């Protein structure tokens, strides 16, 4: 088993260990975070063309793990984000007031399950294996959402399960049509016929549900807003990204010849609508966590707005890099923002934005983390969000796609409106109650602010590492030369 | 085009057609019914239809292709596990002190 297998096997091992150790399983994150960060960094530095055929089964039947640019960036960012969320959950356990011990204990196996599922999903090119990883991540996500609100989690579960079955039906049609479900093989034999179009439509609809693209986003805000802060961070940062990455595999690797420009503009239009709708909804929220959750709906929109820009570009690398980097920047910034919001809400008098008054003095580090994450989400320079949006915007202008360019600009402005509203509330004087801060509960110490601050800082630092990340994202892009492994295609 | 082959309806088509009908029935029920348990059952009917289509695919005119059947077994295992998980959540929700359909915003403390 080489490195690619370890990236999946190690979190699964930690999951089993966390289940066996029960209460003391939380300390495992002290080993898991550095080990996984090291493995992910190693993956990012591997020479191009690194692959693993699981169990040495050859391709039409076997499962291929492959380290392309998207997988490298997503696995690395995922390792940093999940590791930081885990360390944060160690100092600030995610339990409610009711039965806090039980929920804190169940959090850890779910974290590792999501880690293993996400890594497997980012690395594999086998559409059926991707179904299994989707289920792993969805299962962990639903259980994490259930830590906050059972009703919201159940709604999420139902729509996710229906989506999974639609995806499976699509896989079934592809098996019948092509006798393989490997993306790299499908790319060589894909042809335009009814079965392929139906399969692609079913799988796309299913993945849009998982990625929560407008108008399939309905399950996201209640589930993400109600969960405890570390669970929300995992849901918003990791769970929605897997659906997006699988859509990349389908649309740009397996069937680039079939996805016409009209279909791409449907996805791009939905993305643009998501940016506007999610931002407006976020502006209308008067509670902090729903605001951050609706911001996820808006930010997912950018990922899909990029689809027609990548497909329409003469030289697609820069739009592709913009799309990938936006996913990474959103992972870092949104995880930081949810963790910071969790700390702020614990210190504040209530969960409304108006209740945040005085927090800037009470917990300056946490509010700084929230602010830095907001800078990246708005796309202000220098930050990862700015680099990504700049690449997308220049691609849009180059192609004369001024509608998309306009949405990119307006979306940034709307994000500034709703995020500055939350930030300015923190700087407002404490409402009522006079100048004493005793009534607002214990002020969190500096240690708890480290994880959100580190993640938000990384999102900013991404703005300085732009060209290096663009180079990584260009490894084994779909339109480059075919991959090294070229087994015979089954008849 | 490919799906509507000109040959007469063979035994293999029965699985696919029945599966399609089951999928449509389940999907209809999923949209119409609001109760969580009925929705879970509806999703399982959809699942049964999908598995029937997937399982029937391996049945060729002269040989049986084992690959779709290997896939369908995995799918069934996943569906069984998820159904148990969903049923457990429904039971939890029904046992919760608050009325089940009112907890949408999810405030754990009153």
């Amino acid at each position: 088993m080489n490195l690619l297998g370890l990236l999946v096997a190690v979190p699964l091992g930690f999951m089993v260990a966390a289940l066996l150790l029960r209460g003391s399983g939380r300390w495992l994150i002290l080993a898991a975070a550095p080990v996984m960060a090291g493995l992910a960094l190693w993956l990012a530095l591997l020479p191009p063309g690194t692959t693993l055929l699981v169990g040495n089964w050859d391709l039409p039947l076997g499962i291929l793990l492959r380290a392309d640019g998207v997988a490298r960036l997503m696995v690395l960012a995922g390792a940093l984000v999940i590791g930081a969320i885990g360390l944060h959950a160690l100092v600030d356990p995610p339990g409610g007031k009711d039965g806090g011990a039980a929920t804190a204990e169940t959090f850890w196996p779910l974290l590792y399950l999501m880690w293993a599922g996400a890594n497997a999903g980012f690395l594999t090119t086998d559409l059926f294996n991707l179904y299994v990883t989707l289920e792993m991540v969805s299962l962990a996500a639903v259980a994490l959402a259930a830590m906050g609100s059972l009703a919201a989690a159940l709604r999420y579960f139902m729509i996710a399960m229906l989506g999974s079955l639609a995806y499976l039906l699509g896989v079934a049609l592809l098996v019948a049509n092509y006798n393989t479900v490997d993306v790299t093989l499908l790319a060589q034999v894909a042809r335009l016929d009814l079965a392929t179009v139906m399969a692609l439509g079913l799988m796309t609809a299913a993945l849009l549900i998982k990625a929560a693209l407008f108008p399939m986003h309905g399950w996201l805000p209640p589930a993400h807003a109600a969960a405890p802060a570390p669970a929300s961070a995992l849901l918003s940062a990791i769970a929605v990204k897997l659906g997006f990455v699988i859509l990349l595999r389908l649309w740009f690797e397996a069937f680039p010849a079939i996805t016409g420009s009209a279909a791409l503009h449907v996805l791009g239009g939905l993305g643009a609508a998501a940016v506007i709708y999610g931002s407006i909804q976020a502006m209308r929220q008067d509670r902090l966590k729903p605001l951050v959750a609706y911001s996820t709906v808006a930010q997912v929109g950018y990922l899909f707005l990029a689809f027609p820009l990548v497909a329409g570009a003469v030289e697609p690398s820069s739009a592709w890099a913009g799309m990938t980097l936006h996913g990474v920047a959103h992972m870092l910034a949104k995880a930081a923002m949810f963790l910071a919001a969790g700390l702020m809400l614990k210190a504040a008098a209530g969960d409304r934005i108006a209740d945040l008054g005085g927090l800037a003095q009470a917990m300056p580090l946490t509010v700084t983390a929230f602010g830095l994450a907001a800078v990246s989400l708005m796309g202000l320079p220098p930050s990862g969000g700015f680099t990504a949006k700049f690449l997308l915007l220049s691609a849009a202008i180059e192609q004369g796609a001024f509608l998309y360019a306009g949405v990119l600009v307006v979306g940034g402005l709307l994000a500034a409106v709703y995020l500055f509203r939350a930030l300015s509330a923190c700087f407002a004087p404490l409402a009522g109650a006079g100048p004493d801060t005793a009534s607002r509960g214990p002020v969190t110490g500096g240690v708890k602010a480290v994880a959100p601050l580190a993640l938000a800082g990384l999102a900013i630092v991404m703005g300085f590492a732009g060209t290096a990340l663009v180079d990584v994202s260009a490894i084994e892009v779909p339109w480059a030369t075919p991959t090294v492994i070229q087994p015979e295609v089954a008849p | 085009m490919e799906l509507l082959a000109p040959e007469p309806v063979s035994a293999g088509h029965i699985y696919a057609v029945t599966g399609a009908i089951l999928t449509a029935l389940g999907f209809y029920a999923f949209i119409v019914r609001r109760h969580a348990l009925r929705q879970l059952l509806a999703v399982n009917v959809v699942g049964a239809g999908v598995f029937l289509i997937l399982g029937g695919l391996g049945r060729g005119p002269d040989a049986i292709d084992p690959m779709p059947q290997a896939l369908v077994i995995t799918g069934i295992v996943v569906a069984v596990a998820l159904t148990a998980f969903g049923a457990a959540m429904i039971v939890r929700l029904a046992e919760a002190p608050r009325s089940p359909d009112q907890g949408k915003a999810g405030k754990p403390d009153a």
Side-chain angles (χ1 to χ4, degrees):
Chain A
M1 185 186 294
N2 74 1
L3 171 68
L4 300 186
L6 280 180
L7 277 165
V8 183
V10 169
L12 280 179
F14 276 113
M15 181 190 78
V16 175
L19 278 172
L20 292 177
L21 289 174
R22 303 185 68 80
S24 47
R26 64 179 187 277
W27 300 108
L28 286 171
I29 191 70
L30 291 176
V35 167
M36 290 302 293
L39 285 175
L41 200 60
W42 187 10
L43 176 84
L45 300 175
L46 278 176
T50 310
T51 55
L52 168 70
L53 276 169
V54 178
N56 283 327
W57 287 91
D58 275 335
L59 239 197
L61 211 56
I63 292 170
L64 178 69
L65 299 184
R66 181 197 54 175
D68 70 340
V70 175
R72 284 167 197 238
L73 285 176
M74 290 286 166
V75 168
L76 180 59
L80 296 174
V81 166
I82 303 178
I85 292 172
L87 292 172
H88 180 80
L90 195 61
V91 285
D92 187 29
K97 285 144 200 153
D98 44 340
T103 44
E105 210 170 276
T106 51
F107 174 77
W108 295 104
L110 296 173
L111 177 131
Y112 294 119
L113 177 65
M114 183 176 280
W115 208 337
N119 276 355
F122 294 148
L123 288 169
T124 190
T125 61
D126 182 285
L127 289 175
F128 189 77
N129 194 36
L130 282 170
Y131 163 75
V132 177
T133 63
L134 262 181
E135 293 305 291
M136 285 165 75
V137 170
S138 296
L139 182 68
V142 169
L144 285 170
M147 290 171 72
S149 159
L150 259 182
L154 197 58
R155 190 171 159 203
Y156 177 17
F157 169 80
M158 291 295 176
I159 195 79
M161 196 166 167
L162 196 68
S164 301
L165 288 168
Y167 181 88
L168 190 61
L169 188 56
V171 173
L173 291 173
L174 290 181
V175 170
N177 211 11
Y178 298 110
N179 246 333
T180 180
V181 285
D182 189 88
V183 167
T184 54
L185 293 188
L186 283 172
Q188 299 164 23
V189 293
R191 55 183 181 268
L192 182 62
D193 57 18
L194 182 62
T196 309
V197 171
M198 273 179 68
L200 191 59
L202 281 167
M203 295 165 93
T204 302
L207 294 167
L208 292 185
I209 291 175
K210 305 271 186 185
L213 180 65
F214 175 86
M216 274 86 141
H217 66 282
W219 57 268
L220 185 144
H224 287 207
S232 303
L234 282 175
L235 291 172
S236 260
I238 308 295
V240 295
K241 297 296 182 306
L242 183 58
F244 161 70
V245 168
I246 301 176
L247 274 169
L248 285 188
R249 306 273 183 239
L250 276 178
W251 283 65
F252 292 117
E253 278 188 57
F255 303 115
I258 290 169
T259 52
S261 108
L264 282 159
H265 281 292
V266 168
L267 273 190
L270 287 178
V275 171
I276 303 296
Y277 172 85
S279 301
I280 290 175
Q281 283 294 325
M283 287 159 67
R284 294 182 58 226
Q285 303 303 313
D286 57 353
R287 290 181 299 139
L288 183 61
K289 282 190 80 181
L291 182 152
V292 184
Y294 269 110
S295 154
T296 299
V297 173
Q299 298 282 325
V300 164
Y302 290 115
L303 296 173
F304 291 96
L305 187 151
F307 270 52
L309 298 180
V310 172
V314 184
E315 175 47 60
S317 339
S318 72
W320 177 265
M323 176 168 66
T324 318
L325 291 192
H326 186 269
V328 171
H330 176 249
M331 256 195 203
L332 295 166
K334 191 49 66 71
M337 186 169 272
F338 261 122
L339 293 183
L343 290 177
M344 284 152 69
L345 288 179
K346 274 193 181 170
D351 60 355
R352 293 182 182 280
I353 291 169
D355 297 328
L356 296 176
L359 283 184
Q361 287 84 40
M363 41 194 335
L365 288 179
T366 310
V367 174
T368 306
F370 191 94
L372 289 178
V375 165
S376 180
L377 287 180
M378 288 179 239
L380 297 182
S383 68
F386 169 75
T387 311
K389 275 202 193 131
F390 179 79
L391 289 167
L392 290 176
L393 193 60
S394 53
I397 291 171
E398 203 173 273
Q399 296 168 36
F402 293 109
L403 179 69
Y404 294 129
V407 170
L408 278 165
V409 173
V410 171
L413 289 176
L414 292 176
V417 171
Y418 64 76
L419 289 171
F420 273 129
R421 198 174 122 239
L423 267 176
S424 62
C426 298
F427 286 91
L430 192 55
D436 62 313
T437 48
S439 61
R440 55 166 58 266
V443 173
T444 47
V447 183
K448 291 191 177 180
V450 167
L453 206 54
L455 287 175
L458 277 175
I460 300 291
V461 168
M462 259 185 78
F464 296 101
T467 49
L469 294 173
V470 168
D471 289 346
V472 175
S473 80
I475 294 173
E476 286 180 56
V477 281
W479 52 86
T481 48
T483 41
V484 196
I485 294 186
Q486 288 219 1
E488 289 171 33
V489 179
Chain B
M1 295 163 244
E2 291 287 320
L3 285 181
L4 305 175
E7 73 209 43
V9 175
S10 71
H13 284 99
I14 291 176
Y15 297 106
V17 169
T18 316
I21 292 171
L22 277 176
T23 306
L25 276 176
F27 190 60
Y28 172 76
F30 182 82
I31 292 172
V32 170
R33 303 289 177 186
R34 298 310 322 164
H35 192 278
L37 196 55
R38 289 181 189 275
Q39 283 199 323
L40 188 64
L41 290 175
V43 171
N44 269 280
V45 174
V46 173
V50 172
F51 298 144
L52 204 55
I53 295 173
L54 190 48
L57 288 174
R59 195 191 154 107
D62 30 59
I64 291 183
D65 179 11
M67 183 169 166
Q69 312 206 329
L71 300 187
V72 83
I73 297 228
T74 315
I76 288 173
V77 169
V78 169
V80 167
L82 283 183
T83 304
F85 178 56
M89 280 207 295
I90 292 171
V91 170
R92 280 280 183 89
L93 198 59
E95 285 172 349
R98 296 167 62 87
S99 69
D101 51 348
Q102 293 298 316
K104 54 179 176 161
K107 277 193 170 182
D109 45 342

